Amino acid sequence: MIITKIIYYKEGTPAYITKRFDVKSDGSKYQQEDFAQLSNRTKETHDLLSSIIHTPMESDTALGLYKDDIDSPFYSTYGYYGRENFLELATRLGILPQRAERVLNAPREKEQAIYAMTDHAFLSEEVKILYKKNVTDKIKRIQ
């Protein structure tokens, strides 16, 4: 039995919650597939996840990137992370510079494909426009 409920944040915004149904009592997981997996479109659909549409006042990341990241010149100037922050994170993680560059360039190279997938998503036209705006904004930040 799947347990769901609508709750309301203090300011009145509704939120839909679902109790985990894919976890056994011993902590292991049931084998679970969704329609994206069954249609072999997992990567495509999960890459479209954008929580900023639902929580616009939230920060871009759940956690900071590294110690004192908000004191970096870029973040101090613009108030959000940019390419130099992610390159610094890659350096600290030991990721080769060429690999970090490829990862940061990938969204720009896939921008039109992202827009095409968004156009075919089951979203209202208003949310599609917002989603595309957010994609454009994020790509500009890391260029």
Side-chain angles (χ1 to χ4, degrees):
M1 176 178 183
I2 299 174
I3 301 170
T4 62
K5 185 167 179 91
I6 293 186
I7 62 168
Y8 294 88
Y9 291 104
K10 289 179 185 176
E11 78 279 355
T13 303
Y16 180 78
I17 60 171
T18 302
K19 182 177 180 184
R20 294 290 303 251
F21 59 88
D22 61 339
V23 179
K24 299 177 185 179
S25 58
D26 66 1
S28 62
K29 290 188 175 184
Y30 289 106
Q31 177 62 38
Q32 205 59 47
E33 292 181 334
D34 61 24
F35 284 110
Q37 291 168 314
L38 294 174
S39 65
N40 200 23
R41 294 180 52 176
T42 307
K43 181 180 182 340
E44 202 172 280
T45 56
H46 289 259
D47 283 351
L48 283 176
L49 181 62
S50 178
S51 61
I52 195 73
I53 291 171
H54 307 289
T55 56
M57 302 312 288
E58 293 291 320
S59 65
D60 288 337
T61 58
L63 301 171
L65 298 183
Y66 48 84
K67 185 176 172 38
D68 299 324
D69 56 357
I70 63 172
D71 296 325
S72 72
F74 188 94
Y75 196 98
S76 295
T77 301
Y78 299 103
Y80 53 80
Y81 297 116
R83 187 177 193 88
E84 73 179 50
N85 298 111
F86 291 104
L87 290 173
E88 175 64 22
L89 176 64
T91 299
R92 291 176 184 227
L93 293 173
I95 297 171
L96 295 173
Q98 306 91 310
R99 175 69 177 144
E101 290 288 342
R102 271 198 315 271
V103 169
L104 290 174
N105 291 335
R108 171 65 70 201
E109 295 166 4
K110 303 285 186 184
E111 188 172 9
Q112 294 308 311
I114 294 169
Y115 295 153
M117 285 189 286
T118 304
D119 287 336
H120 291 94
F122 294 106
L123 301 170
S124 69
E125 289 305 313
E126 179 183 353
V127 172
K128 287 178 185 180
I129 290 167
L130 181 58
Y131 188 92
K132 289 177 185 180
K133 179 186 170 300
N134 287 324
V135 167
T136 300
D137 179 53
K138 299 300 190 264
I139 289 172
K140 285 180 182 176
R141 292 180 182 195
I142 59 173
Q143 295 309 303

